[in-house]
Amino acid sequence: MENTSEEKAVMMPRIGDKAPAFKAVTTQGEIQFPEQYAGSWVILFSHPADFTPVCTTEFITFASLEKKFAGLGCKLVGLSVDGLYSHIAWLRTIKEKIKFRGMADVEVKFPLIEDITMEVARKYGMIQPGESSTKAVRAVFVIDPKGIIRAIIYYPLSLGRNFDELYRVVAALKTADAFSVATPADWQPGDDVIVPTAGSCGVAKERVESKEAGVTCEDWFFCTKKIDKAKVLAAIEANAK
Ligand code: BEZ
């Protein structure tokens, strides 16, 4: 059934959905999303406006970490509802004039989408009128190599993102996929992982009675497992670009 225009205005993709498709003009030429990124992880993120201070700190930080994300096989794509020439002028100013926490002369090499019509921002639920109806909030979509949305994080206009956390999110998702496990609070590569909860009484009994090396069960529903850090690093660095 077709969505009404009111429903479209508040449409929010969800975790597990296919990433909505679009074609866009960017600072690196036209892109066809997500087809062009098939086979790679992607972080698609929005920011409120060019030539604003919090966004400037975010771009300097993300651009400085681009190689680290490439080491995860993860590409970066930014978006704001400004036009292409504003984007170009802002990125030139960042490189020529702005220093932040010792980072200077930073060139933003990943694409920044122009979205004056807000078509893409609306498709991804990046316009949240309670916060602003003219600017995108700071949204983050982590999209897997099959084009499926795997994580969504939203921040308000005033709050700069933590890019170490975004790295951790991609590393944790790749680990969960590679080893069929879950990752606990504050997990970092090398830490113990969570064995998926038993789904039957039989498995629950097996779990608590099991003497499997490296597995520790506090209770039938709470088992952790050690995975060799080198194996985890190999999994998260697989398909590095
Ligand atoms: C900023 O990036 O500094 C910013 C942008 C929009 C609203 C508030 C702050």
Side-chain angles (χ1 to χ4, degrees):
M1 207 166 59
E2 267 290 291
N3 295 94
T4 64
S5 55
E6 208 168 89
E7 281 166 343
K8 273 182 190 154
V10 292
M11 215 159 65
M12 309 266 291
R14 291 161 299 194
I15 291 176
D17 287 353
K18 192 134 190 56
F22 61 85
K23 187 167 135 183
V25 170
T26 84
T27 49
Q28 302 290 327
E30 263 193 21
I31 61 167
Q32 194 83 45
F33 198 91
E35 298 90 297
Q36 201 175 313
Y37 293 86
S40 291
W41 287 80
V42 192
I43 294 182
L44 172 68
F45 69 101
S46 57
H47 74 101
D50 297 347
F51 293 102
T52 51
V54 178
C55 298
T56 299
T57 62
E58 290 194 319
F59 267 67
I60 291 175
T61 308
F62 224 178
S64 301
L65 292 171
E66 192 180 6
K67 276 210 179 102
K68 191 170 168 191
F69 279 87
L72 290 176
C74 180
K75 297 180 176 170
L76 312 178
V77 180
L79 173 147
S80 84
V81 300
D82 296 292
L84 181 65
Y85 299 123
S86 165
H87 285 348
I88 293 171
W90 180 45
L91 299 188
R92 286 174 62 85
T93 306
I94 286 177
K95 178 162 166 46
E96 285 162 19
K97 295 198 181 144
I98 313 288
K99 291 188 197 73
F100 174 64
R101 294 216 175 111
M103 293 174 276
D105 193 28
V106 174
E107 188 172 349
V108 175
K109 294 182 180 154
F110 57 79
L112 174 52
I113 295 168
E114 81 155 359
D115 192 29
I116 306 173
T117 61
M118 299 193 190
E119 191 189 328
V120 180
R122 286 213 176 89
K123 268 191 180 171
Y124 275 82
M126 293 164 171
I127 304 296
Q128 306 206 350
E131 181 74 341
S132 171
S133 47
T134 56
K135 294 177 174 67
V137 293
R138 300 182 197 279
V140 180
F141 288 83
V142 179
I143 298 165
D144 75 13
K146 293 185 176 142
I148 302 297
I149 296 171
R150 300 292 299 278
I152 305 175
I153 312 174
Y154 285 103
Y155 293 70
L157 302 185
S158 63
L159 176 58
R161 285 162 275 212
N162 181 314
F163 294 92
D164 292 334
E165 170 62 2
L166 301 188
Y167 183 91
R168 194 187 77 93
V169 168
V170 180
L173 288 169
K174 291 187 81 173
T175 300
D177 288 357
F179 300 99
S180 302
V181 294
T183 46
D186 292 335
W187 178 87
Q188 295 288 346
D191 291 349
D192 291 356
V193 296
I194 303 277
V195 181
T197 304
S200 69
C201 293
V203 174
K205 186 167 181 291
E206 269 169 33
R207 282 273 168 81
V208 288
E209 288 171 358
S210 164
K211 300 273 178 283
E212 195 185 323
V215 176
T216 308
C217 288
E218 304 288 331
D219 201 342
W220 67 270
F221 71 97
F222 193 98
C223 299
T224 60
K225 179 164 137 177
K226 296 202 178 308
I227 306 182
D228 181 47
K229 186 171 180 180
K231 284 190 183 151
V232 173
L233 292 178
I236 68 179
E237 287 160 11
N239 309 318
K241 301 275 160 65

